């Protein structure tokens, strides 16, 4: 069974891939980072520069049973040389439009979709351990959290 993972080289993605491999998933790791794993099929994709049709074409090529979307761009990870409006449009593209397009793809291709949320969706952010479940009311602390919350509402 194919699992297409966006952001599989991040902290959560790395641990998730370790969990999925023994379960028999054939993993396609789509990431903008180089990977050292030879166990997976690795696809380089910079979502900030990729069109939605490029992302959906990758889905058609991989034919995943599940798409796991861990990729995100937070304001601090966007180039500081960009104007605020350009950085905002890139964040909305990666954190909102692409996940929604993947959700639509999954709906029409009998594919499961897993989307990672963020503590930025639930205010206030603190160092204390907090549990968030389906009954927790979203209260985004910034634009990044707002985009993530909008996808969750979809």
């Amino acid at each position: 069974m194919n699992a297409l993972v966006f952001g599989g080289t991040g902290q959560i993605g790395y641990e998730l891939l370790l969990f999925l491999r023994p379960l028999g998933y054939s993993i396609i790791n789509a990431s903008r980072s180089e990977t050292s794993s030879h166990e997976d099929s690795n696809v380089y994709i910079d979502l900030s520069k990729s069109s939605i049709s490029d992302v959906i074409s990758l889905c058609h090529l991989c034919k995943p049973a599940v798409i796991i979307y861990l990729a995100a761009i937070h304001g601090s990870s966007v180039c500081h040389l960009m104007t605020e409006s350009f950085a905002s449009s890139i964040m909305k593209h990666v954190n909102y439009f692409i996940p929604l397009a993947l959700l639509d793809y999954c709906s029409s291709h009998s594919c499961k979709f897993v989307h990672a949320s963020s503590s930025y969706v639930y205010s206030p952010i603190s160092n204390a351990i907090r549990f968030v479940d389906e009954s927790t009311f979203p209260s985004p602390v910034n634009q990044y959290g707002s985009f993530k919350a909008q996808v969750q509402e979809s």
Side-chain angles (χ1 to χ4, degrees):
M1 180 168 19
N2 286 344
L4 176 56
V5 180
F6 290 89
T9 57
Q11 181 179 355
I12 295 170
Y14 175 81
E15 297 295 330
L16 180 66
L17 297 184
L18 292 176
F19 177 79
L20 291 175
R21 285 184 196 114
L23 297 177
Y25 283 92
S26 297
I27 299 168
I28 301 99
N29 183 16
S31 177
R32 67 179 172 190
S33 301
E34 296 294 325
T35 63
S36 59
S37 172
H38 300 290
E39 299 176 58
D40 308 319
S41 297
N42 297 300
V43 177
Y44 173 82
I45 187 166
D46 185 341
L47 295 172
S48 69
K49 298 176 183 174
S50 299
S51 70
I52 288 174
S53 62
D54 291 338
V55 174
I56 298 304
S57 292
L58 178 60
C59 294
H60 287 298
L61 181 68
C62 297
K63 298 181 181 11
V66 62
I67 294 175
I68 302 169
Y69 196 80
L70 305 172
I73 290 186
H74 183 276
S76 63
S77 65
V78 176
C79 179
H80 66 280
L81 299 175
M82 295 179 188
T83 65
E84 186 175 331
S85 64
F86 186 63
S88 176
S89 69
I90 289 174
M91 284 188 351
K92 189 167 190 175
H93 177 70
V94 172
N95 300 326
Y96 178 70
F97 288 122
I98 290 176
L100 285 185
L102 291 171
L103 184 59
D104 286 343
Y105 173 88
C106 289
S107 294
S108 62
H109 289 84
S110 300
C111 177
K112 293 181 182 175
F113 182 68
V114 177
H115 177 258
S117 186
S118 168
S119 61
Y120 285 86
V121 172
Y122 305 96
S123 173
I125 297 175
S126 72
N127 291 331
I129 296 175
R130 245 176 96 197
F131 295 96
V132 175
D133 62 20
E134 291 80 13
S135 67
T136 307
F137 185 75
S139 180
V141 297
N142 58 18
Q143 191 174 37
Y144 167 73
S146 178
F147 294 146
K148 297 291 259 183
Q150 290 173 39
V151 173
Q152 285 176 206
E153 291 171 8
S154 299

